[in-house]
Amino acid sequence: MADDLRFPDGFFWGTATSSHQVEGNNKNNQWWAWEQAGGNIKDGTVSGVACDHYNRFAEDFRMSREWGHNAHRFSIEWSRIEPEEGHWDEKEVEHYRRVLESLHESGLVPFVTLHHFTNPVWFEEMGGWTNERAPELLGRFAGYMAEQLGDAVPYWLTINEPPVLPAASYIAGVHPPAKRDFGLAMQAARHILMSLGTMHNAIREKAPHDPKIGPVINMTYAVPASDSEEDKAAARLMDQYWNAYWLDGIRDGVIGAPAGDGEEVPGLKGAWDIVGLNFYSRSVLAAGRGVMGLRQVAPSPDAETSTMGWEVYPEGFYQSMMRLKGYDVPVYITENGIGTDDDEQRISYLVRHFNQVHRAITDGVDVRSYLHWCQQDNFEWAEGFRQKFGLFATEEGTLNRIPKGSAHFFKDVAENNRVPGELVEKYVR
Ligand code: GAL
Protein backbone atom coordinates (compact mmCIF):
# COMPACT_ATOMS: atom_id res chain seq x y z
CA MET A 1 0.00 0.00 0.00
CA ALA A 2 1.31 3.44 -0.94
CA ASP A 3 1.92 6.03 1.79
CA ASP A 4 -0.26 9.11 2.18
CA LEU A 5 1.25 12.12 0.39
CA ARG A 6 1.63 14.80 3.03
CA PHE A 7 2.07 18.44 2.04
CA PRO A 8 4.03 21.12 3.94
CA ASP A 9 2.27 23.06 6.71
CA GLY A 10 0.67 26.22 5.40
CA PHE A 11 0.27 24.84 1.88
CA PHE A 12 -2.44 26.67 -0.07
CA TRP A 13 -5.30 24.66 -1.58
CA GLY A 14 -7.93 26.40 -3.64
CA THR A 15 -9.15 27.24 -7.10
CA ALA A 16 -8.43 29.86 -9.74
CA THR A 17 -10.82 31.83 -11.93
CA SER A 18 -10.61 34.78 -14.31
CA SER A 19 -12.96 37.74 -14.59
CA HIS A 20 -14.22 37.28 -18.13
CA GLN A 21 -14.83 33.56 -17.72
CA VAL A 22 -16.99 33.76 -14.60
CA GLU A 23 -18.19 37.30 -13.85
CA GLY A 24 -20.60 37.96 -16.70
CA ASN A 25 -21.35 41.12 -18.65
CA ASN A 26 -17.81 42.26 -19.31
CA LYS A 27 -18.96 44.39 -22.20
CA ASN A 28 -15.97 46.70 -22.44
CA ASN A 29 -13.32 44.25 -23.50
CA GLN A 30 -12.18 42.86 -26.85
CA TRP A 31 -13.49 39.37 -26.12
CA TRP A 32 -17.06 40.56 -25.68
CA ALA A 33 -16.96 42.35 -29.03
CA TRP A 34 -15.40 39.33 -30.74
CA GLU A 35 -18.03 36.96 -29.33
CA GLN A 36 -20.83 39.21 -30.55
CA ALA A 37 -19.36 39.26 -34.05
CA GLY A 38 -20.43 35.60 -34.36
CA GLY A 39 -18.67 32.51 -35.66
CA ASN A 40 -15.67 32.86 -33.39
CA ILE A 41 -16.66 30.56 -30.52
CA LYS A 42 -16.63 26.86 -31.37
CA ASP A 43 -19.86 25.84 -29.65
CA GLY A 44 -21.70 29.02 -30.63
CA THR A 45 -22.04 30.31 -27.05
CA VAL A 46 -21.05 33.77 -25.77
CA SER A 47 -19.81 34.73 -22.30
CA GLY A 48 -23.06 36.59 -21.52
CA VAL A 49 -23.80 36.40 -17.78
CA ALA A 50 -21.21 33.59 -17.53
CA CYS A 51 -21.51 32.24 -13.95
CA ASP A 52 -22.84 35.57 -12.65
CA HIS A 53 -19.90 35.56 -10.27
CA TYR A 54 -19.91 39.36 -10.36
CA ASN A 55 -23.04 39.18 -8.19
CA ARG A 56 -22.52 35.82 -6.51
CA PHE A 57 -18.90 36.15 -5.40
CA ALA A 58 -19.68 36.08 -1.67
CA GLU A 59 -21.61 32.79 -1.99
CA ASP A 60 -18.86 31.35 -4.14
CA PHE A 61 -16.21 32.20 -1.56
CA ARG A 62 -18.28 30.79 1.32
CA MET A 63 -18.70 27.66 -0.75
CA SER A 64 -14.95 27.36 -1.31
CA ARG A 65 -14.35 27.71 2.40
CA GLU A 66 -17.00 25.12 3.26
CA TRP A 67 -15.35 22.82 0.78
CA GLY A 68 -12.02 23.01 2.55
CA HIS A 69 -10.11 25.62 0.53
CA ASN A 70 -7.84 28.21 2.17
CA ALA A 71 -6.87 30.34 -0.87
CA HIS A 72 -8.41 31.67 -4.05
CA ARG A 73 -7.12 33.23 -7.26
CA PHE A 74 -9.23 35.68 -9.27
CA SER A 75 -8.57 38.47 -11.75
CA ILE A 76 -9.48 42.13 -11.77
CA GLU A 77 -11.11 43.11 -15.06
CA TRP A 78 -9.03 45.98 -16.43
CA SER A 79 -11.85 47.06 -18.78
CA ARG A 80 -14.13 47.66 -15.78
CA ILE A 81 -11.54 49.71 -13.90
CA GLU A 82 -10.34 51.77 -16.88
CA PRO A 83 -13.23 51.73 -19.39
CA GLU A 84 -11.68 54.69 -21.24
CA GLU A 85 -8.02 55.53 -21.35
CA GLY A 86 -7.00 57.33 -18.17
CA HIS A 87 -10.53 57.30 -16.74
CA TRP A 88 -10.84 55.23 -13.54
CA ASP A 89 -14.21 53.88 -12.50
CA GLU A 90 -14.28 54.12 -8.71
CA LYS A 91 -17.49 52.12 -8.42
CA GLU A 92 -15.66 49.17 -9.91
CA VAL A 93 -12.71 49.70 -7.60
CA GLU A 94 -15.22 49.48 -4.74
CA HIS A 95 -16.61 46.28 -6.22
CA TYR A 96 -13.20 44.63 -6.08
CA ARG A 97 -12.66 45.97 -2.58
CA ARG A 98 -15.81 44.10 -1.55
CA VAL A 99 -14.53 41.01 -3.35
CA LEU A 100 -11.30 41.16 -1.35
CA GLU A 101 -13.12 41.79 1.92
CA SER A 102 -15.34 38.85 1.23
CA LEU A 103 -12.34 36.60 0.58
CA HIS A 104 -10.73 37.66 3.85
CA GLU A 105 -14.00 37.16 5.75
CA SER A 106 -14.32 33.69 4.26
CA GLY A 107 -10.81 32.77 5.33
CA LEU A 108 -9.39 32.57 1.81
CA VAL A 109 -5.99 34.08 1.01
CA PRO A 110 -6.33 36.17 -2.19
CA PHE A 111 -4.11 35.80 -5.23
CA VAL A 112 -4.96 38.67 -7.56
CA THR A 113 -4.24 38.54 -11.30
CA LEU A 114 -4.13 41.89 -13.11
CA HIS A 115 -4.23 40.76 -16.72
CA HIS A 116 -5.97 37.54 -17.74
CA PHE A 117 -6.37 37.65 -21.55
CA THR A 118 -8.84 40.57 -21.73
CA ASN A 119 -8.06 44.09 -22.93
CA PRO A 120 -10.26 47.18 -22.71
CA VAL A 121 -11.61 47.98 -26.18
CA TRP A 122 -9.71 51.31 -26.30
CA PHE A 123 -6.42 49.47 -25.71
CA GLU A 124 -7.23 46.81 -28.30
CA GLU A 125 -8.07 49.54 -30.81
CA MET A 126 -4.63 51.06 -30.44
CA GLY A 127 -3.10 47.67 -31.29
CA GLY A 128 -3.16 46.14 -27.81
CA TRP A 129 0.10 44.43 -26.91
CA THR A 130 1.67 45.39 -30.22
CA ASN A 131 1.57 49.08 -29.25
CA GLU A 132 4.82 50.28 -27.75
CA ARG A 133 2.92 52.15 -25.05
CA ALA A 134 1.69 48.83 -23.60
CA PRO A 135 4.37 48.54 -20.87
CA GLU A 136 3.64 52.08 -19.67
CA LEU A 137 -0.16 51.60 -19.73
CA LEU A 138 -0.04 48.26 -17.94
CA GLY A 139 2.38 49.66 -15.39
CA ARG A 140 0.03 52.55 -14.73
CA PHE A 141 -2.93 50.20 -14.26
CA ALA A 142 -0.95 47.92 -11.91
CA GLY A 143 0.25 50.88 -9.85
CA TYR A 144 -3.27 52.25 -9.57
CA MET A 145 -4.65 48.93 -8.33
CA ALA A 146 -1.82 48.52 -5.82
CA GLU A 147 -2.51 52.00 -4.50
CA GLN A 148 -6.26 51.43 -4.25
CA LEU A 149 -6.41 47.85 -2.98
CA GLY A 150 -2.88 46.98 -1.99
CA ASP A 151 -3.65 46.89 1.73
CA ALA A 152 -5.81 43.78 1.12
CA VAL A 153 -3.60 41.90 -1.35
CA PRO A 154 -0.73 39.66 -0.21
CA TYR A 155 -0.08 38.13 -3.67
CA TRP A 156 -0.16 39.97 -6.99
CA LEU A 157 0.07 38.05 -10.25
CA THR A 158 0.88 40.46 -13.06
CA ILE A 159 0.11 38.76 -16.37
CA ASN A 160 -1.53 35.39 -16.94
CA GLU A 161 0.25 33.15 -19.44
CA PRO A 162 2.44 35.59 -21.38
CA PRO A 163 3.33 33.02 -24.08
CA VAL A 164 -0.33 32.40 -24.95
CA LEU A 165 -1.07 36.05 -25.74
CA PRO A 166 1.06 36.46 -28.89
CA ALA A 167 0.63 32.82 -29.89
CA ALA A 168 -3.16 32.71 -29.72
CA SER A 169 -3.85 36.26 -30.94
CA TYR A 170 -1.15 36.73 -33.59
CA ILE A 171 0.15 33.29 -34.62
CA ALA A 172 -2.65 30.72 -34.36
CA GLY A 173 -5.31 33.41 -34.74
CA VAL A 174 -7.74 31.75 -32.33
CA HIS A 175 -8.07 34.65 -29.86
CA PRO A 176 -8.95 38.20 -30.90
CA PRO A 177 -7.82 40.00 -33.00
CA ALA A 178 -7.26 36.61 -34.66
CA LYS A 179 -4.34 37.59 -36.88
CA ARG A 180 -1.59 35.45 -38.32
CA ASP A 181 1.39 37.71 -38.45
CA PHE A 182 4.67 36.63 -36.94
CA GLY A 183 6.04 40.18 -36.86
CA LEU A 184 3.10 41.39 -34.78
CA ALA A 185 3.45 38.37 -32.50
CA MET A 186 7.06 39.25 -31.77
CA GLN A 187 6.18 42.90 -31.14
CA ALA A 188 3.56 41.73 -28.65
CA ALA A 189 6.02 39.30 -27.02
CA ARG A 190 8.51 42.16 -26.48
CA HIS A 191 5.95 44.46 -24.92
CA ILE A 192 4.48 41.75 -22.71
CA LEU A 193 7.90 40.86 -21.32
CA MET A 194 8.64 44.54 -20.69
CA SER A 195 5.26 44.90 -18.97
CA LEU A 196 6.17 42.16 -16.51
CA GLY A 197 8.84 44.60 -15.34
CA THR A 198 6.81 47.82 -15.34
CA MET A 199 3.89 46.17 -13.54
CA HIS A 200 6.10 44.57 -10.92
CA ASN A 201 7.89 47.83 -10.19
CA ALA A 202 4.70 49.89 -10.10
CA ILE A 203 3.13 47.54 -7.55
CA ARG A 204 6.31 47.50 -5.49
CA GLU A 205 6.32 51.29 -5.45
CA LYS A 206 2.61 51.85 -4.71
CA ALA A 207 1.56 48.96 -2.47
CA PRO A 208 1.40 49.92 1.21
CA HIS A 209 2.64 46.55 2.49
CA ASP A 210 5.27 44.27 1.14
CA PRO A 211 3.34 41.93 -1.16
CA LYS A 212 4.74 39.06 -3.18
CA ILE A 213 4.59 39.80 -6.91
CA GLY A 214 5.18 37.61 -9.93
CA PRO A 215 4.04 36.46 -13.38
CA VAL A 216 1.99 33.35 -14.17
CA ILE A 217 3.84 31.24 -16.71
CA ASN A 218 2.11 28.29 -18.32
CA MET A 219 5.04 26.07 -19.06
CA THR A 220 4.82 23.30 -21.56
CA TYR A 221 7.08 20.29 -21.48
CA ALA A 222 8.47 20.27 -25.01
CA VAL A 223 9.85 17.00 -26.33
CA PRO A 224 10.96 15.93 -29.82
CA ALA A 225 8.80 13.51 -31.80
CA SER A 226 11.89 11.46 -32.70
CA ASP A 227 15.64 11.32 -32.12
CA SER A 228 16.36 13.21 -35.32
CA GLU A 229 18.41 16.40 -34.98
CA GLU A 230 15.68 18.35 -36.78
CA ASP A 231 12.98 17.29 -34.33
CA LYS A 232 15.25 17.98 -31.37
CA ALA A 233 15.90 21.45 -32.73
CA ALA A 234 12.14 22.00 -33.06
CA ALA A 235 11.60 21.00 -29.42
CA ARG A 236 14.40 23.36 -28.33
CA LEU A 237 12.83 26.21 -30.29
CA MET A 238 9.44 25.57 -28.73
CA ASP A 239 11.01 25.49 -25.29
CA GLN A 240 12.83 28.74 -25.99
CA TYR A 241 9.71 30.57 -27.07
CA TRP A 242 7.29 29.07 -24.60
CA ASN A 243 9.45 28.77 -21.46
CA ALA A 244 12.95 30.20 -21.59
CA TYR A 245 12.19 33.49 -23.34
CA TRP A 246 10.10 34.51 -20.32
CA LEU A 247 11.96 32.83 -17.48
CA ASP A 248 15.47 33.76 -18.58
CA GLY A 249 14.17 37.13 -19.74
CA ILE A 250 13.05 38.06 -16.24
CA ARG A 251 16.03 36.50 -14.50
CA ASP A 252 18.51 38.32 -16.72
CA GLY A 253 16.46 41.41 -17.61
CA VAL A 254 16.83 40.91 -21.36
CA ILE A 255 14.73 40.31 -24.46
CA GLY A 256 16.12 37.16 -26.01
CA ALA A 257 15.22 35.05 -29.04
CA PRO A 258 12.89 34.94 -30.84
CA ALA A 259 11.65 38.50 -30.13
CA GLY A 260 15.00 40.17 -29.49
CA ASP A 261 18.73 39.60 -29.47
CA GLY A 262 19.49 39.98 -25.81
CA GLU A 263 19.03 43.71 -25.35
CA GLU A 264 18.64 44.78 -21.74
CA VAL A 265 15.38 46.19 -20.40
CA PRO A 266 15.84 48.57 -17.47
CA GLY A 267 13.87 47.40 -14.42
CA LEU A 268 13.14 43.91 -15.72
CA LYS A 269 16.01 41.98 -14.17
CA GLY A 270 14.80 39.95 -11.19
CA ALA A 271 11.27 41.44 -11.37
CA TRP A 272 9.69 38.48 -9.55
CA ASP A 273 9.41 37.47 -5.91
CA ILE A 274 7.42 34.39 -6.84
CA VAL A 275 6.49 32.55 -10.00
CA GLY A 276 3.03 31.21 -10.80
CA LEU A 277 3.01 27.95 -12.75
CA ASN A 278 0.07 26.85 -14.89
CA PHE A 279 0.48 23.39 -16.28
CA TYR A 280 -1.83 21.36 -18.49
CA SER A 281 0.05 19.19 -20.96
CA ARG A 282 3.19 18.52 -22.94
CA SER A 283 4.05 19.38 -26.53
CA VAL A 284 5.56 16.93 -28.97
CA LEU A 285 7.47 18.73 -31.70
CA ALA A 286 8.68 17.82 -35.14
CA ALA A 287 10.48 19.87 -37.73
CA GLY A 288 8.01 21.20 -40.24
CA ARG A 289 6.86 24.05 -42.36
CA GLY A 290 4.80 25.78 -39.67
CA VAL A 291 5.69 29.01 -37.90
CA MET A 292 9.40 29.10 -36.97
CA GLY A 293 9.78 25.64 -38.55
CA LEU A 294 7.74 23.95 -35.81
CA ARG A 295 5.12 21.28 -36.17
CA GLN A 296 3.18 20.16 -33.14
CA VAL A 297 2.36 16.45 -33.33
CA ALA A 298 -1.08 15.36 -32.13
CA PRO A 299 -1.23 12.83 -29.26
CA SER A 300 -1.24 9.22 -30.44
CA PRO A 301 -4.70 7.55 -30.56
CA ASP A 302 -3.96 5.45 -27.48
CA ALA A 303 -2.82 8.44 -25.38
CA GLU A 304 -5.14 9.68 -22.63
CA THR A 305 -6.51 13.09 -23.60
CA SER A 306 -8.96 15.70 -22.33
CA THR A 307 -12.00 17.01 -24.21
CA MET A 308 -9.66 19.85 -25.26
CA GLY A 309 -7.60 17.21 -27.06
CA TRP A 310 -4.65 17.77 -24.70
CA GLU A 311 -2.56 14.80 -23.69
CA VAL A 312 -2.57 13.94 -19.98
CA TYR A 313 1.12 13.89 -19.08
CA PRO A 314 1.82 14.30 -15.34
CA GLU A 315 5.57 13.70 -15.72
CA GLY A 316 5.78 17.00 -17.60
CA PHE A 317 4.38 18.77 -14.55
CA TYR A 318 7.22 17.40 -12.42
CA GLN A 319 9.80 18.33 -15.06
CA SER A 320 8.44 21.88 -15.21
CA MET A 321 8.64 22.33 -11.45
CA MET A 322 12.19 20.93 -11.43
CA ARG A 323 13.11 23.37 -14.16
CA LEU A 324 11.79 26.26 -12.05
CA LYS A 325 13.95 25.16 -9.14
CA GLY A 326 16.91 26.51 -11.07
CA TYR A 327 15.49 30.05 -10.96
CA ASP A 328 15.40 30.10 -7.18
CA VAL A 329 12.03 31.80 -6.65
CA PRO A 330 9.15 30.17 -4.73
CA VAL A 331 6.70 28.37 -7.01
CA TYR A 332 2.94 28.68 -6.72
CA ILE A 333 0.82 26.34 -8.80
CA THR A 334 -1.73 28.86 -10.07
CA GLU A 335 -3.59 26.53 -12.47
CA ASN A 336 -3.84 22.84 -13.25
CA GLY A 337 -6.88 20.82 -14.19
CA ILE A 338 -8.63 18.99 -16.99
CA GLY A 339 -11.50 19.62 -19.37
CA THR A 340 -13.58 16.46 -19.15
CA ASP A 341 -17.15 15.23 -18.89
CA ASP A 342 -15.94 12.26 -16.88
CA ASP A 343 -15.45 13.37 -13.30
CA GLU A 344 -13.75 10.11 -12.38
CA GLN A 345 -11.09 11.04 -14.92
CA ARG A 346 -10.72 14.41 -13.17
CA ILE A 347 -10.11 12.70 -9.83
CA SER A 348 -7.59 10.38 -11.41
CA TYR A 349 -5.91 13.36 -13.14
CA LEU A 350 -5.75 15.26 -9.87
CA VAL A 351 -4.25 12.39 -7.87
CA ARG A 352 -1.59 11.89 -10.53
CA HIS A 353 -0.77 15.61 -10.65
CA PHE A 354 -0.76 16.02 -6.85
CA ASN A 355 1.65 13.12 -6.81
CA GLN A 356 4.02 15.08 -9.06
CA VAL A 357 3.76 18.18 -6.87
CA HIS A 358 4.61 16.05 -3.87
CA ARG A 359 7.52 14.47 -5.74
CA ALA A 360 8.88 17.89 -6.75
CA ILE A 361 8.64 19.15 -3.16
CA THR A 362 10.46 16.02 -1.97
CA ASP A 363 13.13 16.78 -4.57
CA GLY A 364 13.66 20.26 -3.24
CA VAL A 365 11.33 22.52 -5.22
CA ASP A 366 9.79 25.22 -3.04
CA VAL A 367 6.14 24.72 -4.12
CA ARG A 368 3.63 26.53 -1.95
CA SER A 369 0.19 26.24 -3.50
CA TYR A 370 -2.08 24.18 -5.66
CA LEU A 371 -4.86 26.29 -7.16
CA HIS A 372 -7.08 24.15 -9.31
CA TRP A 373 -8.55 25.35 -12.60
CA CYS A 374 -11.39 25.90 -12.03
CA GLN A 375 -13.91 26.43 -9.25
CA GLN A 376 -17.01 26.01 -11.46
CA ASP A 377 -17.58 25.19 -15.12
CA ASN A 378 -17.34 28.44 -17.08
CA PHE A 379 -16.74 30.21 -20.39
CA GLU A 380 -13.69 28.49 -21.85
CA TRP A 381 -12.67 31.21 -24.34
CA ALA A 382 -12.89 30.17 -28.00
CA GLU A 383 -14.23 26.75 -26.92
CA GLY A 384 -17.28 28.24 -25.19
CA PHE A 385 -19.18 26.67 -22.30
CA ARG A 386 -18.86 23.17 -23.65
CA GLN A 387 -15.57 22.49 -21.89
CA LYS A 388 -15.96 21.46 -18.24
CA PHE A 389 -13.02 22.20 -15.96
CA GLY A 390 -14.92 22.78 -12.68
CA LEU A 391 -15.04 20.99 -9.35
CA PHE A 392 -18.60 22.31 -9.44
CA ALA A 393 -21.00 22.23 -12.35
CA THR A 394 -22.79 25.46 -13.21
CA GLU A 395 -26.40 24.46 -13.75
CA GLU A 396 -27.87 25.82 -16.96
CA GLY A 397 -30.62 28.36 -16.34
CA THR A 398 -30.34 28.66 -12.54
CA LEU A 399 -26.53 28.92 -12.54
CA ASN A 400 -26.60 26.96 -9.28
CA ARG A 401 -23.26 25.42 -8.34
CA ILE A 402 -23.55 21.65 -8.12
CA PRO A 403 -20.66 19.82 -6.44
CA LYS A 404 -19.08 17.01 -8.43
CA GLY A 405 -17.38 13.96 -6.93
CA SER A 406 -14.09 15.76 -7.50
CA ALA A 407 -15.23 18.58 -5.17
CA HIS A 408 -15.66 16.00 -2.39
CA PHE A 409 -12.30 14.47 -3.18
CA PHE A 410 -10.61 17.90 -3.23
CA LYS A 411 -12.19 18.82 0.12
CA ASP A 412 -10.72 15.76 1.76
CA VAL A 413 -7.27 16.50 0.38
CA ALA A 414 -7.36 20.20 1.25
CA GLU A 415 -8.73 19.76 4.77
CA ASN A 416 -6.21 17.10 5.66
CA ASN A 417 -3.33 18.50 3.62
CA ARG A 418 -2.64 15.05 2.24
CA VAL A 419 -3.59 12.65 -0.54
CA PRO A 420 -4.70 9.28 0.89
CA GLY A 421 -2.34 6.39 0.09
CA GLU A 422 -5.17 4.25 -1.21
CA LEU A 423 -5.87 6.77 -3.98
CA VAL A 424 -2.19 6.92 -4.85
CA GLU A 425 -2.27 3.15 -5.01
CA LYS A 426 -5.33 3.22 -7.23
CA TYR A 427 -4.40 5.98 -9.70
CA VAL A 428 -0.62 6.25 -9.69
CA ARG A 429 0.72 2.74 -9.24
C1 GAL B 1 -5.46 28.56 -19.18
C2 GAL B 1 -6.14 29.88 -18.94
C3 GAL B 1 -7.47 29.76 -18.27
C4 GAL B 1 -8.26 28.56 -18.70
C5 GAL B 1 -7.41 27.31 -18.74
C6 GAL B 1 -8.09 26.08 -19.29
O1 GAL B 1 -4.61 28.66 -20.27
O2 GAL B 1 -5.34 30.71 -18.13
O3 GAL B 1 -8.13 30.97 -18.46
O4 GAL B 1 -8.95 28.81 -19.82
O5 GAL B 1 -6.29 27.54 -19.53
O6 GAL B 1 -7.98 25.99 -20.66
Side-chain angles (χ1 to χ4, degrees):
M1 168 65 115
D3 289 341
D4 289 356
L5 305 178
R6 302 206 162 273
F7 285 76
D9 287 346
F11 196 79
F12 290 124
W13 294 98
T15 58
T17 62
S18 89
S19 53
H20 192 69
Q21 295 176 273
V22 298
E23 283 183 350
N25 289 315
N26 278 313
K27 298 184 177 175
N28 278 324
N29 69 38
Q30 93 282 28
W31 268 89
W32 183 275
W34 199 61
E35 293 157 29
Q36 304 304 314
N40 291 322
I41 309 300
K42 273 197 198 150
D43 65 3
T45 56
V46 292
S47 59
V49 295
C51 307
D52 193 29
H53 178 75
Y54 188 80
N55 296 305
R56 302 183 191 209
F57 63 86
E59 293 149 61
D60 283 338
F61 300 157
R62 275 198 296 276
M63 179 177 83
S64 285
R65 188 59 193 162
E66 279 160 24
W67 287 79
H69 310 186
N70 59 8
H72 182 74
R73 172 179 174 221
F74 73 99
S75 74
I76 292 180
E77 176 62 32
W78 180 19
S79 67
R80 287 188 188 271
I81 300 290
E82 194 177 2
E84 291 161 45
E85 187 183 347
H87 168 86
W88 309 109
D89 187 334
E90 287 171 15
K91 281 200 319 295
E92 296 289 357
V93 175
E94 270 320 298
H95 169 79
Y96 288 108
R97 174 161 293 285
R98 287 196 298 277
V99 167
L100 284 161
E101 282 167 3
S102 173
L103 281 168
H104 287 291
E105 278 160 22
S106 304
L108 301 173
V109 173
F111 287 74
V112 183
T113 314
L114 286 170
H115 187 279
H116 196 128
F117 292 0
T118 51
N119 296 331
V121 169
W122 60 263
F123 178 68
E124 187 75 359
E125 279 171 354
M126 59 166 72
W129 288 112
T130 67
N131 190 306
E132 60 182 25
R133 289 187 60 214
E136 164 214 328
L137 294 168
L138 268 294
R140 187 176 69 179
F141 167 56
Y144 179 73
M145 293 321 306
E147 196 172 63
Q148 297 293 318
L149 301 177
D151 55 333
V153 180
Y155 297 96
W156 290 101
L157 300 166
T158 49
I159 301 179
N160 181 68
E161 303 194 343
V164 168
L165 299 166
S169 295
Y170 298 104
I171 295 179
V174 292
H175 286 189
K179 296 196 174 158
R180 291 179 184 212
D181 181 324
F182 191 64
L184 288 178
M186 292 303 102
Q187 248 171 279
R190 289 178 72 84
H191 299 145
I192 295 164
L193 183 54
M194 292 164 82
S195 300
L196 292 173
T198 57
M199 293 173 82
H200 182 98
N201 297 330
I203 299 169
R204 179 61 67 232
E205 187 188 324
K206 296 286 167 74
H209 303 309
D210 190 23
K212 299 289 177 222
I213 314 162
V216 169
I217 311 289
N218 57 318
M219 293 177 69
T220 190
Y221 181 52
V223 294
S226 79
D227 276 344
S228 78
E229 287 311 316
E230 292 79 7
D231 288 358
K232 284 188 196 160
R236 278 197 302 274
L237 210 52
M238 179 72 173
D239 182 75
Q240 172 62 28
Y241 171 65
W242 208 268
N243 303 321
Y245 170 79
W246 309 96
L247 299 168
D248 296 356
I250 303 172
R251 181 193 58 199
D252 303 335
V254 299
I255 302 182
D261 50 20
E263 60 267 35
E264 278 181 31
V265 179
L268 178 63
K269 187 171 177 166
W272 54 5
D273 314 312
I274 60 175
V275 61
L277 170 63
N278 292 358
F279 181 86
Y280 289 92
S281 190
R282 72 164 171 173
S283 313
V284 181
L285 279 304
R289 281 205 307 257
V291 183
M292 298 195 293
L294 293 176
R295 186 162 60 85
Q296 209 153 319
V297 180
S300 76
D302 54 345
E304 181 188 348
T305 54
S306 70
T307 47
M308 299 286 283
W310 299 343
E311 183 180 2
V312 175
Y313 198 75
E315 172 71 21
F317 196 18
Y318 171 77
Q319 296 295 343
S320 301
M321 289 180 273
M322 289 303 282
R323 170 92 175 267
L324 287 179
K325 186 178 171 186
Y327 291 91
D328 208 21
V329 276
V331 178
Y332 289 76
I333 305 306
T334 37
E335 282 182 35
N336 174 244
I338 180 170
T340 180
D341 299 324
D342 172 1
D343 196 53
E344 168 84 19
Q345 187 192 14
R346 186 178 342 274
I347 295 174
S348 158
Y349 178 98
L350 289 179
V351 173
R352 287 176 286 160
H353 285 75
F354 294 165
N355 177 54
Q356 299 300 342
V357 177
H358 187 266
R359 184 178 159 213
I361 293 173
T362 306
D363 290 346
V365 189
D366 184 5
V367 186
R368 301 189 183 180
S369 72
Y370 180 92
L371 304 179
H372 175 258
W373 186 271
C374 188
Q375 185 181 36
Q376 63 277 58
D377 294 338
N378 61 56
F379 181 68
E380 176 55 31
W381 305 112
E383 299 284 327
F385 283 100
R386 197 238 154 293
Q387 297 291 342
K388 314 287 185 199
F389 279 86
L391 297 177
F392 295 80
T394 307
E395 192 177 56
E396 241 183 287
T398 67
L399 304 182
N400 288 337
R401 283 41 163 163
I402 315 286
K404 302 181 190 175
S406 52
H408 289 273
F409 156 73
F410 196 91
K411 178 176 195 275
D412 176 62
V413 171
E415 281 182 350
N416 297 297
N417 206 22
R418 60 98 185 84
V419 182
E422 70 221 54
L423 294 182
V424 179
E425 191 76 31
K426 178 165 175 192
Y427 293 113
V428 180
R429 301 267 182 265

